[in-house]
Amino acid sequence: MSTDVVSPAKLASELREHWSPRVIAEVDDAYVKVAKVEGSLAWHTHEGEDEFFYVLQGTLRIEMDERTVELHAGDAFVVPRGVRHNPVAERECLVMLIERKSTQHTGSTVTDKTRSIAEQLRPL
Amino acid sequence: MSTDVVSPAKLASELREHWSPRVIAEVDDAYVKVAKVEGSLAWHTHEGEDEFFYVLQGTLRIEMDERTVELHAGDAFVVPRGVRHNPVAERECLVMLIERKSTQHTGSTVTDKTRSIAEQLRPL
């Protein structure tokens, strides 16, 4: 985390691993994270936590049981707590996320893409 | 607040009043807000709350007692709790903010620019 001015898009573009969010800022009880994503993450649910997505570059599809939304660069969307969802990027996409500090990025689902909060807090 | 995909920059660009933040999303204990700003807000402090700024368009200067930072479009910065600051935009600038729900945007300072949380929650 930085006490300086940062460019979320630049930090996201420099990530080497897909679907491995990294914390770039702490705002009270929330973390702001960036991620580089491509392909499909995993269907999962955050039972008690909302998840805010902001697309920095590219296009992100968020599949939910009831509907699917598509976010282009500059678009934002909140997946409300309890809503099962699966983020998908047909091509590489850069995103900024806001989540409560306790939020696991794949919810209660654990896959080979799951990264611990400690891993997400590694310095960039 | 919307349950649909939104464009923070578009919502901010449509605001008619400077320095009057509007809530566009709720993420657990935090609000995501947008604002159209120009000129100087007011020197103020949030004693117990951090404030995250992300510049959507234009340039924002954040003056603090110890230093001044300048954010261009796509840049982000956190003013930590307890740090006295004054946001300044020489020209019209669009920003996205993340703040705990309880945060008053001018802290304990009240000016003619101060807007209540209820005013910030008016539908866009």
Side-chain angles (χ1 to χ4, degrees), chain A residues 3-8 25-29 32 48-52 54 56 67 69-71 74-78 81 96 98-100, chain B residues 3-8 25-29 32 48-52 54 56 67 69-71 74-78 81 96 98-100:
Chain A
T3 57
D4 280 324
V5 174
V6 295
S7 163
E26 183 175 358
V27 188
D28 301 317
D29 309 313
V32 181
E49 292 144 335
D50 306 320
E51 194 167 24
F52 176 89
Y54 178 82
L56 298 161
R67 60 175 175 149
V69 295
E70 193 170 88
L71 283 70
D75 284 344
F77 183 73
V78 176
R81 60 188 63 190
M96 181 163 67
I98 308 168
E99 300 173 335
R100 188 184 284 166
Chain B
T3 57
D4 280 324
V5 175
V6 295
S7 163
E26 183 176 357
V27 188
D28 300 318
D29 308 314
V32 181
E49 293 144 335
D50 305 321
E51 193 168 25
F52 175 89
Y54 178 82
L56 299 162
R67 60 175 176 150
V69 296
E70 192 169 88
L71 285 70
D75 284 343
F77 183 74
V78 177
R81 59 189 63 192
M96 181 163 68
I98 307 168
E99 300 173 335
R100 190 184 283 168

Side-chain angles (χ1 to χ4, degrees), chain A residues 43 60-71 77 83-88 90, chain B residues 3-5:
Chain A
W43 280 95
L60 182 72
R61 194 168 75 235
I62 301 178
E63 302 175 344
M64 294 167 284
D65 286 324
E66 302 293 325
R67 60 175 175 149
T68 292
V69 295
E70 193 170 88
L71 283 70
F77 183 73
V83 172
R84 204 170 76 98
H85 61 284
N86 181 32
V88 181
E90 298 291 348
Chain B
T3 57
D4 280 324
V5 175

Side-chain angles (χ1 to χ4, degrees), chain A residues 38-57:
Chain A
E38 186 176 341
S40 167
L41 179 55
W43 280 95
H44 65 281
T45 307
H46 311 283
E47 287 304 343
E49 292 144 335
D50 306 320
E51 194 167 24
F52 176 89
F53 291 84
Y54 178 82
V55 172
L56 298 161
Q57 185 184 301

